[in-house]
Amino acid sequence: MDLVTLDRMPETSGALKELNDSTWPEFLLRSDIRNWSSIYTRFQGFQILVLEHNALVAAGLTVPFEWTPGRSLPSTIDEVVYPAHWPLKTDGVLCALGVLVRPMYRRRGTSQKILSEMRSLSTAKGLRGVLAPVRPNRKHEFAEESIEAYAERRDDKGRLLDPWLRVHEEMGGERMGFMHESLTVTASIQDWEKWTGMRFSTSGSYSIPDGLAPVSIDLEKDQGTYREPNVWYFHRSNPDD
């Protein structure tokens, strides 16, 4: 597999957008994050492509962000993406927005390779590391549980239960905190029924497929609201900093 940044192969931006749109649950594509499309245009040099025989099989999405350890963390992903710019005026990091892997290339260590490449890219850009709002990939099995409690779950070998959180921990990431509303999706009941394949006959909270938290359904307002929790991890370029 070959790893390059999107600015080296800008003709791949369409394939990258297709990979992005096919990886996330459909409701996440309707979130309140603004300027997401800038990753395909303004920040091509920050998008990592994984190619096999010139076909896009995985990618790592990042943007530069003005943040240093000790400062408060963003409350939402929108606070990272919407004001993103380059070059930065002060010290900063790469903010890892996502690791996308086509199904047949999963469980091959591809995500670890991308995370390692993100750290290398951070160093090459003169940044202090990779700050990641991590979307735990088994949290949907425990949607009613708080993100804090879930992040402490370990298996019988003492490893973090969640595979993606485990990767960050085992690769030396430092857990920095939690985002309880990394993004918000507000839509009609009809849209939520289409996205989830469920029927909502009464108002209340419902666990939904691929949802890390329940969606709150209000029939009177014809509205469902979903707020996604994430876990912040930081990978320092220089572990001695």
Side-chain angles (χ1 to χ4, degrees), residues 12-236:
T12 314
S13 60
L16 178 58
K17 184 177 187 304
E18 179 276 325
L19 177 60
N20 177 83
D21 292 355
S22 64
T23 298
W24 305 113
E26 186 174 2
F27 61 86
L28 291 188
L29 302 178
R30 309 297 194 271
S31 79
D32 60 350
I33 302 174
R34 296 170 293 176
N35 279 2
W36 186 265
S37 62
S38 65
I39 64 178
Y40 311 117
T41 54
R42 293 171 53 202
F43 300 110
Q44 291 187 347
F46 295 88
Q47 314 316 317
I48 298 166
L49 309 179
V50 182
L51 306 169
E52 187 166 270
H53 306 302
N54 290 322
L56 182 67
V57 300
L61 309 180
T62 77
V63 292
F65 182 61
E66 290 182 350
W67 181 85
T68 55
R71 291 180 56 188
S72 60
L73 291 160
S75 299
T76 67
I77 294 175
D78 179 73
E79 291 178 19
V80 174
V81 177
Y82 184 67
H85 60 278
W86 183 256
L88 301 180
K89 297 177 182 177
T90 62
D91 283 348
V93 295
L94 285 187
C95 189
L97 303 175
V99 172
L100 317 175
V101 184
R102 295 199 188 278
M104 68 179 297
Y105 290 89
R106 294 170 187 169
R107 298 181 179 84
R108 298 186 184 185
T110 306
S111 295
Q112 291 91 322
K113 290 177 183 177
I114 292 172
L115 183 54
S116 180
E117 187 66 16
M118 285 179 175
R119 296 197 299 194
S120 297
L121 181 61
S122 170
T123 300
K125 296 288 188 182
L127 300 172
R128 300 187 64 168
V130 177
L131 181 67
V134 181
R135 185 177 201 267
N137 54 17
R138 285 189 60 188
K139 175 66 171 70
H140 65 278
E141 299 174 22
F142 306 86
E144 299 286 347
E145 189 168 76
S146 72
I147 188 66
E148 291 90 348
Y150 176 76
E152 297 295 337
R153 281 185 173 268
R154 293 186 179 268
D155 62 18
D156 55 8
K157 297 180 180 179
R159 306 174 305 173
L160 286 175
L161 178 69
D162 189 87
W164 193 212
L165 296 183
R166 187 189 312 151
V167 166
H168 283 271
E169 181 177 76
E170 293 180 349
M171 291 185 67
E174 178 184 355
R175 195 173 74 189
M176 306 296 288
F178 302 92
M179 271 200 297
H180 297 95
E181 298 182 11
S182 65
L183 57 82
T184 300
V185 182
T186 303
S188 69
I189 305 300
Q190 181 180 10
D191 282 340
W192 280 108
E193 290 184 340
K194 179 180 69 173
W195 297 334
T196 64
M198 298 171 62
R199 292 297 301 272
F200 303 107
S201 57
T202 61
S203 296
S205 294
Y206 293 82
S207 295
I208 57 175
D210 297 315
L212 307 194
V215 61
S216 178
I217 296 294
D218 188 325
L219 292 183
E220 185 175 342
K221 293 182 179 179
D222 184 27
Q223 181 174 288
T225 303
Y226 169 84
R227 295 179 174 87
E228 174 152 302
N230 285 175
V231 184
W232 282 113
Y233 272 87
F234 182 50
H235 297 261
R236 299 172 187 266

